[in-house]
Amino acid sequence: MAAITLRRRAFSGLYAAGSSHLFHSISSPAREFFPKEKHGCGSSSFTLSSWHRGLFRSFSVDSSAGATTGSGLFPATANEPVVSVDWLNRFLRKPDLKVLDSSWYMPNEQRNPLQEFQVAHIPGALFFDVDGISDKKSNLPHMLPSEEAFAAAVSALGINNSDGVVVYDGKGIFSAARVWWMFRVFGHDKVWVLDGGLPRWRALGYDVESSASGDAILKASDASEAIEKVYQGLPTVGPVTFQARLQLHLIWTLEQIRKNIEEQRYQHIDARSKSRFDGEAPEPRKGLRSGHVPGSKCIPFGQVLDASQCLLPASELRKRFEQEGISLDRPIVTSCGTGVTACVVALGLHRLGKVDVPVYDGSWTEWGSKSDTPIATA
């Protein structure tokens, strides 16, 4: 209980500290429902795609309740894992759409995502703590929490199973893909990543809120407390509005990776940089050996994104995977350093119809820390 109290105080302290140096909101003019092509990400211009037009046409509103009905926020195709900033701006205030800032940064970047959330975030967004909503019994970073813990944390954020969820981060597409994968692991498919993230949102002049509401900060704190209570065996305070249903086929363990080295049934894609994959650059985390899992192939996560940090169009994604000898007709598993950027590659594969790509949650932080795991170098 002491840890929970300290966590709440820490959130309150950050809120007080951040509120004294907040930016003013950026105003933006009204935009047409179908924005000009320049609002699209990179060369793909998904804002004007037939998928988005179909989504717009399918969107209906119950005037008596002000809520979306029918197919509503749900895409016409299950393969499309992202939405554009123009789409989000259009439907931002719908009550059954929840927006999550899931920014997370490497320790050496010395950036505090919660403080940055307080300074500027998409209006109405909630903060999803990637490190906090994790397995408290693991010594590995931000490992998946239990079903009960995830359900408790997401319920504390005010999300239920009927909600559509849009996730973004402060880099473009980075940690948001991890949270997209987490929701899918726990059985929630009505989740999308904001293409280009907060940088794209701000580059197009859309409004940001310059201070986190007390409600958003309290919900972030409550989510962290809910996780702590579950792992301490204590009852949670609020009602559980989100039911988690674990999808084991989307998660791989060390033993499954070890077995796959022998069987080679799954193609293994490593999303780390080529120099780390080859064992030529040291790992950013101490105590890890350098190299890669034997038989795996390297596709750095940045290579599935364009210069605007948006997901590449399907034709370019397909070409990129084929260049590395990856067959889209065979099963694939992804990994990286700590299970974050592996999800970016999984996001790209999802666009190509590979909707059941598992991620090795422990990734290189687990594999490289063991003395008995085989390692290959360049």
Side-chain angles (χ1 to χ4, degrees), residues 107-307:
N108 60 3
E109 293 182 86
Q110 297 183 340
R111 294 178 64 176
N112 187 309
L114 180 61
Q115 286 184 335
E116 291 186 17
F117 171 81
Q118 291 179 225
V119 170
H121 60 274
I122 292 174
L126 299 166
F127 182 75
F128 187 103
D129 186 354
V130 171
D131 281 330
I133 302 177
S134 63
D135 183 356
K136 299 305 179 183
K137 293 183 178 179
S138 175
N139 59 359
L140 297 172
H142 44 252
M143 290 285 282
L144 277 172
S146 67
E147 282 178 286
E148 183 185 0
F150 186 82
V154 170
S155 295
L157 289 173
I159 298 171
N160 59 57
N161 295 93
S162 65
D163 288 330
V165 178
V166 173
V167 192
Y168 75 89
D169 62 56
K171 285 192 168 184
I173 294 182
F174 186 62
S175 54
R178 168 76 183 187
V179 178
W180 165 82
W181 174 74
M182 290 176 71
F183 270 91
R184 295 184 64 247
V185 164
F186 290 110
H188 192 76
D189 291 329
K190 298 187 288 289
V191 57
W192 301 275
V193 170
L194 182 62
D195 216 8
L198 186 61
R200 185 72 182 166
W201 179 271
R202 300 192 72 166
L204 295 186
Y206 287 129
D207 291 347
V208 293
E209 286 183 344
S210 7
S211 62
S213 68
D215 182 60
I217 291 297
L218 285 176
K219 283 182 176 177
S221 177
D222 289 343
S224 295
E225 289 183 16
I227 286 277
E228 296 283 359
K229 286 184 175 181
V230 169
Y231 280 99
Q232 292 174 15
L234 300 172
T236 55
V237 176
V240 176
T241 59
F242 184 94
Q243 301 297 324
R245 303 177 304 278
L246 186 63
Q247 309 296 304
L248 279 173
H249 67 284
L250 293 177
I251 318 162
W252 266 32
T253 64
L254 183 145
E255 291 307 317
Q256 286 172 293
I257 295 292
R258 195 192 294 272
K259 183 179 180 182
N260 194 58
I261 294 175
E262 302 299 326
E263 298 181 349
Q264 288 294 299
R265 186 165 159 262
Y266 278 69
Q267 302 164 99
H268 184 165
I269 298 177
D270 189 323
R272 293 176 300 154
S273 68
K274 190 65 165 59
S275 59
R276 289 172 63 189
F277 180 85
D278 288 339
E280 296 171 350
E283 288 296 308
R285 296 178 184 274
K286 295 181 179 180
L288 302 183
R289 294 179 292 161
S290 296
H292 59 268
V293 174
S296 60
K297 295 182 178 181
C298 181
I299 300 182
F301 79 95
Q303 294 186 11
V304 304
L305 306 175
D306 66 15

